[in-house]
Amino acid sequence: MSSILLPCVLLIILFACAYPLGFYLAKVGEAQPITAWTNAVEHRLYQLAGIDAHANMNWKSYAMALLVFNAIGTLAVYTVQRVQTWLPLNPQGFGNVSPDSAFNTAVSFISNTNWQGYSGESSMSYLTQMLVLTGQNFFSAATGMAVAYALIRGFSSHSAKTIGNFWVDVTRSTLYVLLPLSTLFAIFLMSQGVIQNFAAYKDMTLLDPVSYTQAKISPSGQALNDEKGNPLMETVSSPIQSLAMGPVASQEAIKLLGTNGGGFFNTNSAHPFENPTAISNIFQLLAILLIPTALCFAFGKMVGDMRQAWAILGAMTIVFVIMSSVVLISEQQAHPVLQTLGIDQNRSEFQAGGNMEGKETRFGISASALFAAVTTATSCGAVNAMHDSFMPLGGIVPLVLMQFGEVIFGGVGSGLYGMLIFAVLAVFIAGLMIGRTPEYLGKKIQAFEMKMTSITILVTPILVLSFSALALMTEAGRSSIANPNAHGFSEILYAFTSAANNNGSAFAGLNANTPFYNVLLAVVMWFGRFAMIIPILAIAGSLAEKKRLAVTAGTMPTQGLLFVSLLVSIVVLVGVLNYIPALALGPIVEHLQLFTR
């Protein structure tokens, strides 16, 4: 019961916070003035940028502006990484990032994936972390919000030729939502112990010298391999521990609120400088879910029917509670192999309470397992535990949550517009069943919308499965696997699932910081983001041009339990049909092997 109670309590607190925020987000999306002072600042920004805030765009112009904005951002992130050694705010004297790693990171942060093949505290200068990485945390989240607003306008408009102004949507999302929330959250995090400084790293003398084995790293931050492709290892003994410093709280706040996930440190939210206390851990969970949930309420307000918001949110909640309960229950079971070694019989705390491998003792099993569910139900990708160390059934939950299309709350903006696409598919299937033209929110769903919907839904499984197969068929892909057999397959499947769905979390155990994986994952991340956004904007433009039909006795209701059940079924069936063969070769086989030894 406690496994179900924990996510339910989290959701109750979340809904209480997100409901009023949703009405505020609707105000932002409808371009209503916030205050006279902010309105003056906003228009001054448009004047400086040479933007006509009153010139609305059709979907093609909106998409072009979006692509240009993100292409320029990609170039900026790449360039700063490549020249950071000559730029200020680099007290550790880090060298320039290698071309393939810089390319991967640039695409990663632009696409809101924030996949990190590098170790932040040993690769990136403070300027790189603040200027381009944190900056893109804001802009990628604002881009997702802009697309969500555009699609909502498609449903709410009546015979319109435009879907809004991209530059206005990005500016207002950043200025009125992401910046103020991040500022407040950063202050709270600092109160809990998250660091925020520009000091050089601190060398602390240990009471006892520590010896450990680690992979050899090149000056560019990449792992070195021998002639057979195996990682080169070295034994290091040190009487000193270097404590990384830096402006962490400011990046941590938008990392979570923007469902970005890229951490200042390699261990992300498991690091005590990013996530110091149990209280900070709870608030980080709420921060990840806050804006995606509030956008559902904003959707209901903007289309004039809050019942539609509750229907969408209800479908998300049902799947989330079920999946999070599975991972919580799974991780609270003792590992059967360790049981055979007599560890549990000795009443070791490691085993007596469940599977503590790869988890922080500050948080324990429940908070770690719930974090894994939250971060993959959204497109955040932040982690406070090692997903690679989860039980097979516990590890399959983050995989499946991503493979649903990141629509169970999902990312900032992307979760809502992804679920709305599934809603369009649901009403189309229902229309086929009852023999009438499908409608959703008063708009007829016709051939063009269904073609674009098909592209949107199929693009990520095509990317995941085809590129996973490519990695498995090549020596460059297989040589990075640290664990053989089913678990190694799961690591590759997880990497490309995370990249294509713009999540960014990793199973670990896979050495992905190689030219092969850096390039492949960057390609998958780019198309996983923008090959979905373009057809969604096309749908928004097509719907905006249509008349909004009145509700009649023959209109299928899309706000009741029946529709919620249909929507959940469609999301689950699409995910299962696309990925079940691959899952059977990875975590399902591993689970069977684990309990049949």
Side-chain angles (χ1 to χ4, degrees):
M1 179 61 69
S2 60
S3 298
I4 300 176
L5 185 61
L6 186 59
C8 289
V9 171
L10 177 70
L11 290 172
I12 291 171
I13 300 172
L14 172 67
F15 292 165
C17 298
Y19 188 80
L21 179 60
F23 284 80
Y24 175 75
L25 294 183
K27 189 175 182 180
V28 172
E30 291 170 343
Q32 298 179 21
I34 306 301
T35 66
W37 179 82
T38 57
N39 192 50
V41 171
E42 179 186 350
H43 285 282
R44 182 59 178 164
L45 290 174
Y46 298 145
Q47 291 175 353
L48 293 173
I51 294 171
D52 183 0
H54 301 290
N56 286 332
M57 302 174 175
N58 60 31
W59 78 264
K60 292 179 182 178
S61 299
Y62 199 101
M64 183 57 66
L66 184 149
L67 290 175
V68 169
F69 177 70
N70 283 277
I72 293 173
T74 304
L75 182 62
V77 178
Y78 178 84
T79 301
V80 171
Q81 291 178 87
R82 296 289 292 133
V83 299
Q84 70 172 7
T85 191
W86 301 299
L87 297 176
L89 292 177
N90 186 8
Q92 300 306 116
F94 292 140
N96 297 329
V97 181
S98 66
D100 57 290
S101 180
F103 173 62
N104 179 278
T105 303
V107 174
S108 174
F109 276 77
I110 293 298
S111 61
N112 200 243
T113 310
N114 301 80
W115 172 275
Q116 294 175 289
Y118 60 90
S119 176
E121 65 267 44
S122 60
S123 303
M124 300 294 181
S125 69
Y126 293 165
L127 184 71
T128 303
Q129 296 265 28
M130 290 191 306
L131 181 62
V132 290
L133 300 189
T134 303
Q136 281 304 322
N137 282 348
F138 282 95
F139 295 143
S140 64
T143 297
M145 292 181 67
V147 176
Y149 284 140
L151 182 58
I152 295 171
R153 294 187 195 110
F155 286 112
S156 62
S157 299
H158 185 82
S159 300
K161 297 293 184 181
T162 61
I163 57 174
N165 186 311
F166 172 74
W167 306 113
V168 172
D169 288 339
V170 167
T171 301
R172 290 178 64 85
S173 297
T174 304
L175 192 63
Y176 297 140
V177 181
L178 299 173
L179 271 175
L181 286 178
S182 297
T183 301
L184 291 174
F185 192 47
I187 294 171
F188 166 77
L189 290 174
M190 285 188 284
S191 75
Q192 293 298 301
V194 178
I195 62 173
Q196 181 76 12
N197 58 55
F198 296 103
Y201 290 8
K202 308 292 186 182
D203 289 335
M204 311 299 292
T205 303
L206 300 175
L207 295 177
D208 296 309
V210 174
S211 297
Y212 55 92
T213 302
Q214 66 178 17
K216 284 189 175 181
I217 304 296
S218 70
S220 62
Q222 293 183 325
L224 298 175
N225 296 329
D226 59 20
E227 62 276 2
K228 296 182 179 180
N230 299 317
L232 289 174
M233 307 301 290
E234 61 180 352
T235 299
V236 179
S237 181
S238 175
I240 295 175
Q241 180 180 359
S242 180
L243 298 181
M245 298 285 109
V248 178
S250 54
Q251 179 169 325
E252 185 73 9
I254 187 58
K255 152 195 154 179
L256 299 162
L257 286 165
T259 61
N260 295 281
F264 193 97
F265 300 106
N266 186 44
T267 53
N268 209 279
S269 286
H271 198 289
F273 286 171
E274 284 198 36
N275 192 7
T277 67
I279 295 175
S280 69
N281 192 68
I282 294 171
F283 276 84
Q284 288 194 12
L285 291 173
L286 290 170
I288 294 170
L289 292 164
L290 181 61
I291 297 178
T293 306
L295 278 170
C296 292
F297 294 120
F299 161 68
K301 180 69 168 59
M302 292 175 71
V303 299
D305 188 354
M306 290 302 297
R307 295 175 301 172
Q308 303 294 337
W310 285 110
I312 294 295
L313 198 55
M316 295 178 175
T317 302
I318 290 170
V319 179
F320 174 76
V321 170
I322 293 172
M323 298 301 290
S324 58
S325 298
V326 172
V327 68
L328 282 161
I329 293 171
S330 175
E331 293 307 299
Q332 287 166 354
Q333 309 305 309
H335 197 291
V337 175
L338 295 176
Q339 280 185 307
T340 62
L341 300 176
I343 293 178
D344 198 43
Q345 296 174 5
N346 295 331
R347 302 301 298 167
S348 167
E349 291 184 5
F350 177 79
Q351 272 288 97
N355 179 31
M356 271 296 293
E357 181 186 349
K359 299 178 179 65
E360 278 288 308
T361 55
R362 288 177 293 133
F363 308 131
I365 292 172
S366 294
S368 300
L370 183 59
F371 203 107
V374 168
T375 197
T376 50
T378 63
S379 68
C380 184
V383 295
N384 74 346
M386 185 67 73
H387 294 183
D388 193 48
S389 297
F390 279 26
M391 301 283 280
L393 288 186
I396 201 175
V397 168
L399 254 176
V400 171
L401 281 169
M402 290 186 291
Q403 289 169 352
F404 283 154
E406 291 289 21
V407 297
I408 310 306
F409 296 105
V412 168
S414 62
L416 176 61
Y417 64 64
M419 184 58 92
L420 289 176
I421 294 302
F422 274 106
V424 168
L425 178 60
V427 297
F428 177 77
I429 293 174
L432 293 178
M433 292 179 178
I434 62 178
R436 61 174 288 133
T437 302
E439 298 175 14
Y440 187 55
L441 299 177
K443 299 296 181 79
K444 286 187 176 182
I445 306 301
Q446 297 173 303
F448 180 79
E449 288 81 25
M450 289 315 303
K451 290 176 183 178
M452 295 298 104
T453 295
S454 299
I455 293 173
T456 302
I457 290 176
L458 291 175
V459 64
T460 49
I462 290 173
L463 289 170
V464 171
L465 298 175
S466 58
F467 279 85
S468 294
L470 177 62
L472 289 163
M473 290 188 299
T474 57
E475 180 60 31
R478 294 192 300 269
S479 63
S480 292
I481 300 175
N483 299 292
N485 303 323
H487 196 77
F489 176 83
S490 295
E491 290 170 354
I492 288 181
L493 179 64
Y494 193 107
F496 286 101
T497 298
S498 178
N501 289 281
N502 302 133
N503 183 269
S505 65
F507 230 32
L510 180 72
N511 176 26
N513 193 15
T514 65
F516 176 83
Y517 277 107
N518 279 332
V519 173
L520 255 66
L521 289 168
V523 171
V524 171
M525 286 185 285
W526 180 269
F527 285 100
R529 177 72 161 179
F530 299 108
M532 279 191 65
I533 283 178
I534 302 306
I536 286 172
L537 291 176
I539 293 172
S542 176
L543 292 174
E545 293 181 356
K546 296 182 178 183
K547 295 180 179 179
R548 196 169 185 185
L549 305 175
V551 176
T552 66
T555 303
M556 176 186 170
T558 55
Q559 68 275 8
L561 183 59
L562 179 62
F563 179 74
V564 171
S565 302
L566 176 63
L567 183 55
V568 169
S569 301
I570 295 299
V571 171
V572 173
L573 282 175
V574 169
V576 168
L577 291 176
N578 283 327
Y579 296 106
I580 194 63
L583 292 171
L585 294 173
I588 294 176
V589 166
E590 188 180 359
H591 173 76
L592 296 175
Q593 291 175 335
L594 189 64
F595 287 91
T596 56
R597 291 180 179 180

